[in-house]
Coordinates of all heavy atoms in Angstrom, one line a residue:
M357 N -55.4 158.9 90.2 CA -56.5 158.2 90.7 C -56.1 156.7 91.0 O -56.6 156.1 92.0 CB -57.7 158.3 89.8 CG -58.3 159.7 89.7 SD -58.8 160.4 91.2 CE -60.3 159.6 91.5
V358 N -55.3 156.1 90.1 CA -54.9 154.8 90.3 C -54.1 154.6 91.6 O -54.4 153.7 92.4 CB -54.1 154.2 89.1 CG1 -53.5 152.9 89.4 CG2 -55.0 154.2 87.8
A359 N -53.2 155.5 91.8 CA -52.4 155.5 93.0 C -53.2 155.8 94.2 O -53.0 155.1 95.3 CB -51.3 156.5 92.9
S360 N -54.2 156.6 94.1 CA -55.1 156.9 95.2 C -55.9 155.6 95.6 O -56.0 155.3 96.8 CB -56.0 158.0 94.9 OG -55.3 159.2 94.7
Y361 N -56.5 155.0 94.6 CA -57.3 153.8 95.0 C -56.4 152.7 95.5 O -56.8 151.9 96.3 CB -58.2 153.4 93.8 CG -59.4 154.1 93.7 CD1 -59.7 155.1 92.7 CD2 -60.5 154.0 94.7 CE1 -60.8 155.9 92.7 CE2 -61.6 154.7 94.6 CZ -61.8 155.6 93.7 OH -63.0 156.3 93.6
W362 N -55.2 152.6 94.9 CA -54.2 151.6 95.4 C -54.0 151.8 96.9 O -54.0 150.9 97.7 CB -52.9 151.7 94.6 CG -51.9 150.7 94.9 CD1 -51.3 150.3 96.0 CD2 -51.4 149.8 93.9 NE1 -50.4 149.3 95.9 CE2 -50.5 148.9 94.5 CE3 -51.6 149.6 92.5 CZ2 -49.7 148.0 93.9 CZ3 -50.9 148.6 91.9 CH2 -50.0 147.8 92.5
K363 N -53.8 153.1 97.3 CA -53.5 153.4 98.7 C -54.7 153.1 99.6 O -54.6 152.7 100.7 CB -53.1 154.9 98.8 CG -52.7 155.3 100.1 CD -51.4 154.7 100.6 CE -51.0 155.4 101.9 NZ -50.0 154.7 102.6
I364 N -56.0 153.5 99.0 CA -57.2 153.2 99.8 C -57.3 151.7 100.1 O -57.7 151.3 101.2 CB -58.4 153.8 99.1 CG1 -58.4 155.3 99.2 CG2 -59.7 153.2 99.6 CD1 -59.4 156.0 98.3
F365 N -57.1 150.9 99.0 CA -57.2 149.5 99.3 C -56.2 149.0 100.3 O -56.5 148.1 101.1 CB -57.0 148.7 97.9 CG -58.2 148.6 97.1 CD1 -59.1 149.7 96.8 CD2 -58.6 147.4 96.5 CE1 -60.2 149.6 96.0 CE2 -59.7 147.3 95.7 CZ -60.5 148.4 95.5
A366 N -55.0 149.5 100.2 CA -53.9 149.1 101.1 C -54.3 149.6 102.6 O -54.0 148.8 103.5 CB -52.6 149.7 100.7
K367 N -54.9 150.8 102.7 CA -55.3 151.2 104.0 C -56.3 150.3 104.6 O -56.5 150.1 105.9 CB -55.9 152.6 104.0 CG -54.9 153.7 104.1 CD -55.6 155.1 104.2 CE -54.7 156.2 104.5 NZ -55.4 157.4 104.7
A368 N -57.1 149.7 103.8 CA -58.2 148.8 104.2 C -57.7 147.4 104.5 O -58.5 146.5 104.8 CB -59.3 148.7 103.2
G369 N -56.4 147.2 104.3 CA -55.8 145.8 104.5 C -56.0 144.9 103.3 O -55.8 143.7 103.5
K370 N -56.4 145.4 102.2 CA -56.5 144.6 101.0 C -55.3 144.9 100.1 O -54.6 145.9 100.3 CB -57.7 145.0 100.2 CG -59.0 144.9 101.1 CD -59.3 143.5 101.4 CE -60.6 143.4 102.2 NZ -60.9 142.1 102.7
P371 N -55.0 144.0 99.2 CA -53.9 144.2 98.3 C -54.1 145.4 97.4 O -55.2 145.5 96.8 CB -53.7 142.9 97.5 CG -55.1 142.2 97.6 CD -55.7 142.7 98.9
G372 N -53.2 146.3 97.3 CA -53.3 147.5 96.5 C -53.5 147.2 95.0 O -54.2 147.8 94.3
W373 N -52.8 146.1 94.5 CA -52.9 145.8 93.1 C -54.4 145.4 92.7 O -54.7 145.4 91.6 CB -52.0 144.7 92.7 CG -52.1 143.4 93.5 CD1 -51.4 143.0 94.6 CD2 -53.1 142.4 93.2 NE1 -51.9 141.8 95.1 CE2 -52.9 141.4 94.3 CE3 -54.0 142.1 92.3 CZ2 -53.7 140.2 94.4 CZ3 -54.8 141.0 92.4 CH2 -54.6 140.0 93.4
A374 N -55.2 145.0 93.7 CA -56.6 144.6 93.4 C -57.4 145.7 92.8 O -58.3 145.5 92.1 CB -57.2 144.0 94.6
S375 N -56.9 147.0 93.1 CA -57.7 148.1 92.6 C -57.6 148.3 91.1 O -58.4 149.0 90.5 CB -57.2 149.4 93.3 OG -55.9 149.7 92.9
I376 N -56.6 147.7 90.5 CA -56.5 147.8 89.0 C -57.0 146.6 88.2 O -56.9 146.7 87.0 CB -55.0 148.2 88.6 CG1 -54.1 147.1 89.1 CG2 -54.6 149.5 89.2 CD1 -52.6 147.2 88.6
V377 N -57.5 145.6 88.9 CA -58.0 144.4 88.2 C -59.5 144.5 88.0 O -60.2 144.6 89.0 CB -57.6 143.1 88.9 CG1 -58.2 141.9 88.2 CG2 -56.1 143.0 89.2
P378 N -60.0 144.6 86.8 CA -61.4 144.8 86.6 C -62.2 143.6 87.2 O -61.7 142.5 87.3 CB -61.6 144.7 85.0 CG -60.2 145.1 84.5 CD -59.2 144.6 85.5
I379 N -63.4 143.9 87.6 CA -64.3 143.0 88.3 C -63.8 142.6 89.7 O -64.5 142.7 90.7 CB -64.6 141.7 87.5 CG1 -65.1 142.1 86.0 CG2 -65.7 140.9 88.2 CD1 -66.4 143.0 86.0
Y380 N -62.6 142.1 89.8 CA -62.0 141.8 91.1 C -62.0 143.0 92.0 O -62.2 142.8 93.2 CB -60.6 141.1 90.9 CG -60.0 140.7 92.2 CD1 -60.7 139.7 93.0 CD2 -58.8 141.2 92.7 CE1 -60.1 139.3 94.2 CE2 -58.3 140.8 93.9 CZ -58.9 139.8 94.6 OH -58.4 139.4 95.8
N381 N -61.7 144.2 91.4 CA -61.7 145.4 92.3 C -63.1 145.6 92.9 O -63.2 146.1 94.0 CB -61.1 146.6 91.5 CG -62.0 147.0 90.3 OD1 -63.0 146.4 90.0 ND2 -61.5 148.0 89.6
L382 N -64.1 145.3 92.2 CA -65.5 145.4 92.8 C -65.7 144.4 93.9 O -66.3 144.8 94.9 CB -66.5 145.2 91.7 CG -66.9 146.5 90.9 CD1 -67.9 146.1 89.8 CD2 -67.5 147.5 91.7
V383 N -65.2 143.2 93.7 CA -65.4 142.2 94.7 C -64.7 142.7 96.0 O -65.2 142.6 97.1 CB -64.8 140.8 94.3 CG1 -64.8 139.8 95.4 CG2 -65.6 140.3 93.1
V384 N -63.4 143.1 95.8 CA -62.7 143.6 97.0 C -63.3 144.9 97.6 O -63.4 145.0 98.8 CB -61.2 143.8 96.6 CG1 -60.4 144.4 97.8 CG2 -60.5 142.5 96.2
Y385 N -63.8 145.7 96.8 CA -64.4 147.0 97.3 C -65.7 146.6 98.1 O -65.9 147.2 99.2 CB -64.8 147.8 96.0 CG -65.3 149.2 96.4 CD1 -64.4 150.3 96.4 CD2 -66.6 149.5 96.6 CE1 -64.9 151.6 96.7 CE2 -67.1 150.7 96.8 CZ -66.2 151.8 96.9 OH -66.7 153.1 97.2
L386 N -66.4 145.7 97.6 CA -67.6 145.3 98.3 C -67.3 144.6 99.7 O -67.9 144.8 100.7 CB -68.5 144.3 97.5 CG -69.2 144.9 96.3 CD1 -69.8 143.8 95.4 CD2 -70.3 145.8 96.8
Q387 N -66.2 143.9 99.7 CA -65.7 143.3 101.0 C -65.2 144.4 101.9 O -65.5 144.3 103.1 CB -64.5 142.4 100.7 CG -64.9 141.1 100.0 CD -63.7 140.3 99.6 OE1 -62.6 140.7 99.6 NE2 -64.0 139.1 99.2
M388 N -64.6 145.5 101.4 CA -64.1 146.5 102.2 C -65.3 147.3 102.9 O -65.1 147.6 104.1 CB -63.4 147.6 101.4 CG -62.0 147.2 101.0 SD -61.2 148.3 99.8 CE -61.8 149.9 100.1
V389 N -66.4 147.4 102.3 CA -67.5 148.2 102.8 C -68.6 147.2 103.4 O -69.7 147.7 103.7 CB -68.1 149.2 101.8 CG1 -67.1 150.2 101.4 CG2 -68.6 148.5 100.6
N390 N -68.3 146.0 103.6 CA -69.2 145.0 104.2 C -70.5 144.9 103.5 O -71.6 144.9 104.1 CB -69.4 145.3 105.7 CG -68.2 145.0 106.5 OD1 -67.4 144.1 106.1 ND2 -68.0 145.7 107.6
R391 N -70.4 144.8 102.2 CA -71.6 144.5 101.4 C -71.5 143.2 100.7 O -70.4 142.7 100.4 CB -71.8 145.6 100.3 CG -72.1 147.0 100.9 CD -73.5 147.0 101.5 NE -73.8 148.4 102.0 CZ -74.9 148.7 102.5 NH1 -75.9 147.8 102.7 NH2 -75.1 149.9 103.0
P392 N -72.6 142.5 100.5 CA -72.5 141.2 99.8 C -72.0 141.2 98.4 O -72.2 142.2 97.7 CB -74.0 140.6 99.8 CG -74.8 141.8 100.2 CD -74.0 142.8 100.8
V393 N -71.2 140.2 98.0 CA -70.6 140.2 96.7 C -71.6 140.1 95.6 O -71.4 140.6 94.5 CB -69.6 139.0 96.6 CG1 -69.0 138.9 95.3 CG2 -68.5 139.2 97.7
W394 N -72.8 139.5 95.8 CA -73.8 139.4 94.8 C -74.3 140.8 94.3 O -75.0 140.9 93.3 CB -74.9 138.5 95.2 CG -75.8 139.0 96.4 CD1 -75.7 138.8 97.7 CD2 -76.9 140.0 96.3 NE1 -76.6 139.5 98.4 CE2 -77.4 140.2 97.6 CE3 -77.5 140.6 95.2 CZ2 -78.4 141.1 97.8 CZ3 -78.6 141.5 95.4 CH2 -79.0 141.7 96.7
W395 N -73.9 141.8 95.0 CA -74.3 143.2 94.6 C -73.8 143.5 93.2 O -74.2 144.5 92.6 CB -74.0 144.2 95.6 CG -75.0 144.4 96.7 CD1 -75.8 143.5 97.2 CD2 -75.2 145.6 97.4 NE1 -76.6 144.0 98.2 CE2 -76.2 145.3 98.4 CE3 -74.7 146.9 97.4 CZ2 -76.7 146.3 99.2 CZ3 -75.2 147.9 98.3 CH2 -76.2 147.6 99.2
I396 N -72.7 142.8 92.8 CA -72.1 143.1 91.5 C -73.3 142.9 90.4 O -73.2 143.7 89.4 CB -71.0 142.1 91.2 CG1 -69.8 142.5 92.1 CG2 -70.6 142.1 89.7 CD1 -68.6 141.5 92.0
V397 N -74.2 142.0 90.6 CA -75.3 141.8 89.7 C -76.1 143.1 89.5 O -76.6 143.4 88.4 CB -76.2 140.6 90.1 CG1 -77.4 140.5 89.3 CG2 -75.4 139.3 90.2
L398 N -76.2 143.9 90.6 CA -77.0 145.1 90.5 C -76.4 146.1 89.7 O -77.1 147.1 89.2 CB -77.2 145.6 92.0 CG -78.0 144.7 92.9 CD1 -78.0 145.3 94.3 CD2 -79.4 144.4 92.4
F399 N -75.1 146.0 89.4 CA -74.5 147.0 88.4 C -75.0 146.8 87.0 O -74.7 147.7 86.2 CB -73.0 146.9 88.5 CG -72.4 147.6 89.7 CD1 -72.0 147.0 90.8 CD2 -72.3 149.0 89.6 CE1 -71.5 147.7 91.9 CE2 -71.7 149.7 90.7 CZ -71.4 149.1 91.9
F400 N -75.6 145.7 86.7 CA -76.1 145.4 85.3 C -77.5 145.9 85.1 O -78.1 145.8 84.1 CB -76.0 143.9 85.0 CG -74.5 143.5 85.0 CD1 -74.0 142.7 86.0 CD2 -73.7 143.8 83.9 CE1 -72.7 142.3 85.9 CE2 -72.4 143.5 83.9 CZ -71.9 142.7 84.9
V401 N -78.2 146.4 86.2 CA -79.6 146.8 86.1 C -79.6 148.4 86.0 O -79.1 149.1 86.8 CB -80.4 146.4 87.4 CG1 -81.8 146.9 87.3 CG2 -80.3 145.0 87.7
P402 N -80.1 148.9 84.9 CA -80.2 150.3 84.6 C -80.9 151.0 85.8 O -81.8 150.5 86.4 CB -81.0 150.5 83.3 CG -80.9 149.1 82.7 CD -80.8 148.1 83.8
I403 N -80.4 152.2 86.1 CA -80.8 153.1 87.2 C -80.4 152.6 88.5 O -79.9 153.3 89.3 CB -82.4 153.4 87.1 CG1 -82.8 153.9 85.7 CG2 -82.8 154.4 88.2 CD1 -82.1 155.1 85.2
V404 N -80.7 151.3 88.8 CA -80.3 150.7 90.0 C -78.8 150.8 90.2 O -78.3 151.0 91.3 CB -80.7 149.2 90.1 CG1 -80.2 148.5 91.4 CG2 -82.2 149.1 90.1
N405 N -78.0 150.7 89.1 CA -76.6 150.7 89.2 C -76.1 152.1 89.7 O -75.1 152.2 90.5 CB -75.9 150.4 87.9 CG -76.3 151.2 86.7 OD1 -77.1 152.2 86.9 ND2 -75.9 150.9 85.6
I406 N -76.8 153.1 89.4 CA -76.4 154.5 89.8 C -76.7 154.6 91.3 O -75.8 155.1 92.1 CB -77.2 155.6 89.1 CG1 -76.8 155.5 87.6 CG2 -77.0 157.0 89.7 CD1 -77.7 156.4 86.7
V407 N -77.8 154.1 91.8 CA -78.1 154.1 93.2 C -77.1 153.3 94.0 O -76.6 153.7 95.1 CB -79.6 153.6 93.5 CG1 -79.9 153.5 94.9 CG2 -80.6 154.5 92.8
I408 N -76.8 152.1 93.5 CA -75.8 151.2 94.2 C -74.5 151.9 94.3 O -73.8 151.8 95.3 CB -75.7 149.8 93.5 CG1 -77.1 149.1 93.7 CG2 -74.6 149.0 94.0 CD1 -77.5 148.9 95.1
A409 N -74.0 152.5 93.2 CA -72.7 153.2 93.2 C -72.7 154.3 94.2 O -71.7 154.5 95.0 CB -72.5 153.8 91.8
I410 N -73.8 155.1 94.4 CA -73.9 156.1 95.4 C -73.8 155.5 96.8 O -73.1 156.0 97.7 CB -75.1 157.0 95.2 CG1 -75.0 157.8 93.9 CG2 -75.3 157.9 96.4 CD1 -76.2 158.5 93.4
V411 N -74.6 154.4 97.0 CA -74.5 153.8 98.3 C -73.1 153.3 98.6 O -72.6 153.5 99.8 CB -75.5 152.6 98.3 CG1 -75.3 151.7 99.5 CG2 -77.0 153.1 98.3
L412 N -72.4 152.7 97.7 CA -71.1 152.2 97.9 C -70.1 153.4 98.2 O -69.2 153.2 99.1 CB -70.6 151.4 96.7 CG -71.3 150.0 96.6 CD1 -70.8 149.3 95.4 CD2 -71.2 149.2 97.8
V413 N -70.2 154.5 97.6 CA -69.4 155.6 97.9 C -69.7 156.1 99.2 O -68.7 156.5 100.0 CB -69.6 156.8 96.8 CG1 -68.9 158.0 97.2 CG2 -69.0 156.3 95.5
H414 N -70.9 156.2 99.6 CA -71.2 156.6 101.0 C -70.7 155.6 102.1 O -70.2 156.0 103.1 CB -72.8 156.7 101.2 CG -73.2 157.2 102.5 ND1 -72.8 158.5 103.0 CD2 -73.9 156.7 103.5 CE1 -73.3 158.6 104.2 NE2 -74.0 157.6 104.5
D415 N -70.8 154.3 101.7 CA -70.2 153.3 102.6 C -68.7 153.5 102.7 O -68.1 153.3 103.8 CB -70.5 151.9 102.1 CG -71.9 151.5 102.3 OD1 -72.7 152.2 103.0 OD2 -72.4 150.5 101.7
L416 N -68.0 153.8 101.6 CA -66.6 154.1 101.7 C -66.3 155.2 102.6 O -65.3 155.2 103.4 CB -66.0 154.3 100.3 CG -64.5 154.5 100.2 CD1 -63.8 153.2 100.6 CD2 -64.1 154.9 98.9
S417 N -67.0 156.3 102.4 CA -66.8 157.5 103.3 C -67.0 157.2 104.8 O -66.3 157.6 105.6 CB -67.6 158.7 102.8 OG -68.9 158.5 103.1
K418 N -68.0 156.4 105.1 CA -68.3 156.0 106.4 C -67.2 155.1 107.0 O -66.9 155.1 108.1 CB -69.7 155.3 106.6 CG -70.8 156.2 106.4 CD -72.2 155.7 106.8 CE -72.5 154.3 106.4 NZ -73.8 153.8 106.6
S419 N -66.6 154.3 106.1 CA -65.5 153.4 106.5 C -64.3 154.2 106.9 O -63.4 153.6 107.6 CB -65.1 152.5 105.3 OG -66.2 151.6 105.0
F420 N -64.2 155.4 106.5 CA -63.1 156.3 107.0 C -63.5 157.3 108.0 O -62.8 158.2 108.3 CB -62.5 157.0 105.8 CG -61.5 156.2 105.0 CD1 -61.9 155.4 103.9 CD2 -60.2 156.1 105.3 CE1 -61.0 154.6 103.2 CE2 -59.2 155.3 104.6 CZ -59.7 154.6 103.5
G421 N -64.7 157.1 108.6 CA -65.2 158.0 109.6 C -65.7 159.2 109.1 O -65.8 160.2 109.9
K422 N -66.1 159.3 107.9 CA -66.6 160.6 107.3 C -68.1 160.5 107.1 O -68.7 159.4 107.3 CB -65.9 160.8 105.9 CG -64.4 160.8 105.9 CD -63.9 162.0 106.6 CE -62.4 162.1 106.5 NZ -61.8 163.2 107.2
G423 N -68.7 161.6 106.8 CA -70.2 161.7 106.7 C -70.7 161.9 105.3 O -70.0 161.7 104.3
A424 N -71.9 162.4 105.3 CA -72.6 162.6 104.0 C -71.9 163.7 103.2 O -71.9 163.7 102.0 CB -74.0 163.0 104.2
G425 N -71.4 164.8 103.8 CA -70.7 165.8 103.1 C -69.5 165.3 102.4 O -69.2 165.7 101.2
W426 N -68.8 164.4 103.0 CA -67.6 163.8 102.3 C -68.0 162.9 101.1 O -67.4 162.9 100.1 CB -66.8 163.0 103.4 CG -65.4 162.7 102.9 CD1 -65.0 161.6 102.2 CD2 -64.3 163.5 103.0 NE1 -63.7 161.6 101.9 CE2 -63.2 162.8 102.4 CE3 -64.0 164.8 103.5 CZ2 -61.9 163.4 102.3 CZ3 -62.8 165.3 103.5 CH2 -61.7 164.6 102.9
T427 N -69.2 162.2 101.3 CA -69.7 161.4 100.2 C -70.0 162.3 99.0 O -69.7 162.0 97.9 CB -71.0 160.7 100.6 OG1 -70.7 159.9 101.8 CG2 -71.6 159.9 99.5
L428 N -70.6 163.5 99.2 CA -70.9 164.4 98.1 C -69.6 164.9 97.5 O -69.5 165.0 96.3 CB -71.7 165.6 98.6 CG -73.1 165.3 99.0 CD1 -73.8 166.5 99.7 CD2 -73.9 164.8 97.9
G429 N -68.6 165.1 98.3 CA -67.3 165.5 97.7 C -66.7 164.4 96.9 O -66.1 164.7 95.8
L430 N -66.8 163.1 97.3 CA -66.3 162.0 96.5 C -67.0 161.9 95.2 O -66.5 161.5 94.2 CB -66.4 160.7 97.3 CG -65.4 160.5 98.5 CD1 -65.7 159.3 99.3 CD2 -64.0 160.4 97.9
L431 N -68.4 162.2 95.3 CA -69.2 162.0 94.0 C -68.9 163.1 93.1 O -68.8 162.9 91.9 CB -70.6 162.0 94.4 CG -71.1 160.7 95.1 CD1 -72.6 160.9 95.6 CD2 -71.1 159.5 94.2
F432 N -68.8 164.4 93.5 CA -68.7 165.5 92.6 C -67.4 166.1 92.4 O -67.1 166.7 91.4 CB -69.7 166.6 93.1 CG -71.2 166.2 93.0 CD1 -71.9 166.0 94.2 CD2 -71.8 165.9 91.8 CE1 -73.2 165.6 94.2 CE2 -73.1 165.5 91.8 CZ -73.8 165.3 93.0
L433 N -66.5 165.9 93.3 CA -65.1 166.3 93.2 C -64.1 165.2 93.6 O -63.2 165.4 94.4 CB -64.9 167.5 94.2 CG -65.6 168.8 93.8 CD1 -65.5 169.8 94.9 CD2 -65.1 169.4 92.5
G434 N -64.3 164.1 93.0 CA -63.5 162.9 93.3 C -62.0 163.1 93.0 O -61.2 162.6 93.8
I435 N -61.7 163.9 92.0 CA -60.3 164.2 91.7 C -59.6 164.8 92.8 O -58.4 164.7 92.9 CB -60.2 165.0 90.4 CG1 -58.8 164.9 89.8 CG2 -60.7 166.4 90.6 CD1 -58.6 163.7 89.0
V436 N -60.3 165.5 93.7 CA -59.7 166.1 94.9 C -59.8 165.2 96.2 O -58.9 165.0 96.9 CB -60.3 167.5 95.2 CG1 -59.8 168.1 96.4 CG2 -60.1 168.4 94.0
F437 N -61.1 164.7 96.4 CA -61.4 164.0 97.6 C -60.8 162.6 97.7 O -60.4 162.2 98.8 CB -62.9 164.0 97.8 CG -63.5 165.2 98.4 CD1 -63.7 166.4 97.6 CD2 -63.9 165.3 99.7 CE1 -64.2 167.5 98.1 CE2 -64.4 166.5 100.2 CZ -64.6 167.6 99.4
V438 N -60.7 161.9 96.6 CA -60.1 160.6 96.6 C -58.6 160.6 97.1 O -58.2 159.9 97.9 CB -60.3 159.8 95.3 CG1 -59.6 158.5 95.3 CG2 -61.8 159.6 95.0
P439 N -57.8 161.5 96.5 CA -56.4 161.5 96.9 C -56.3 162.0 98.4 O -55.4 161.5 99.1 CB -55.7 162.5 96.0 CG -56.6 162.5 94.8 CD -58.0 162.3 95.3
V440 N -57.2 162.9 98.9 CA -57.1 163.3 100.2 C -57.4 162.1 101.2 O -56.8 162.0 102.2 CB -58.1 164.5 100.5 CG1 -58.2 164.8 102.0 CG2 -57.6 165.7 99.7
L441 N -58.4 161.3 100.8 CA -58.8 160.2 101.5 C -57.7 159.2 101.6 O -57.4 158.6 102.6 CB -60.1 159.5 100.9 CG -60.8 158.5 101.8 CD1 -61.4 159.2 103.0 CD2 -62.0 158.0 100.9
A442 N -57.0 159.0 100.4 CA -56.0 158.0 100.3 C -54.7 158.4 101.1 O -54.1 157.6 101.8 CB -55.6 157.8 98.8
F443 N -54.2 159.6 100.9 CA -53.0 160.0 101.4 C -53.1 160.9 102.7 O -52.1 161.3 103.2 CB -52.2 160.8 100.3 CG -51.9 159.9 99.1 CD1 -52.6 160.1 97.9 CD2 -50.9 159.0 99.2 CE1 -52.3 159.3 96.8 CE2 -50.6 158.2 98.1 CZ -51.3 158.3 96.9
G444 N -54.3 161.1 103.1 CA -54.5 161.8 104.4 C -54.2 160.9 105.6 O -53.9 159.7 105.5
S445 N -54.3 161.5 106.7 CA -54.0 160.7 108.0 C -55.2 159.9 108.5 O -55.1 159.3 109.6 CB -53.5 161.7 109.0 OG -54.5 162.6 109.3
D446 N -56.4 160.0 107.9 CA -57.5 159.3 108.4 C -57.4 157.8 108.2 O -57.1 157.3 107.1 CB -58.8 159.7 107.6 CG -59.1 161.2 107.9 OD1 -59.0 161.6 109.0 OD2 -59.5 161.9 106.9
P447 N -57.5 157.0 109.3 CA -57.4 155.6 109.2 C -58.7 154.9 108.7 O -59.7 155.5 108.8 CB -57.1 155.1 110.6 CG -57.8 156.2 111.4 CD -57.7 157.5 110.7
F448 N -58.5 153.7 108.1 CA -59.7 153.0 107.7 C -60.3 152.3 108.9 O -59.6 151.5 109.6 CB -59.2 151.9 106.7 CG -60.4 151.1 106.2 CD1 -61.2 151.5 105.1 CD2 -60.6 149.8 106.7 CE1 -62.2 150.8 104.6 CE2 -61.7 149.0 106.2 CZ -62.5 149.5 105.2
V449 N -61.5 152.7 109.3 CA -62.1 152.1 110.5 C -63.1 151.0 110.2 O -63.5 150.2 111.0 CB -62.8 153.2 111.4 CG1 -61.7 154.1 112.0 CG2 -63.8 153.9 110.6
G450 N -63.4 150.9 108.9 CA -64.3 149.8 108.5 C -65.8 150.2 108.7 O -66.0 151.2 109.5
R451 N -66.6 149.6 108.1 CA -68.0 149.8 108.2 C -68.7 148.6 108.9 O -68.4 147.5 108.6 CB -68.7 150.0 106.8 CG -70.1 150.4 106.8 CD -70.7 150.4 105.4 NE -72.1 150.2 105.5 CZ -72.7 149.0 105.6 NH1 -72.1 148.0 105.6 NH2 -74.0 149.0 105.6
P452 N -69.5 148.9 110.0 CA -70.0 147.8 110.7 C -70.9 146.9 109.8 O -71.5 147.3 108.9 CB -70.9 148.4 111.8 CG -70.6 149.9 111.7 CD -69.9 150.2 110.5
A453 N -70.9 145.6 110.1 CA -71.7 144.7 109.3 C -73.2 145.0 109.5 O -73.6 145.3 110.6 CB -71.4 143.2 109.7
T454 N -74.0 144.8 108.5 CA -75.4 145.1 108.6 C -76.2 143.9 108.8 O -75.9 142.8 108.5 CB -76.0 145.9 107.3 OG1 -75.7 145.1 106.2 CG2 -75.4 147.2 107.2

């Protein structure tokens, strides 16, 4: 999983090592999916943190041109879908700014 996230960060044009640095990896992840950095605060609010995590996973799948089905795969079978996303041929297209 570490190698997979390293590769995902690299595909997004971010430094791969950022995926293993706590807190900083969230900052970079939020930049990758075009969400404001202040969303880190929402991870400290119970229940809201679960919703935010799901939104961010969906944003990541959209950043690779995938849909809701891929989001469900990332959520429930991440051990399979994250490496496929990382090492597959799908390019990082980014998520449009909101």
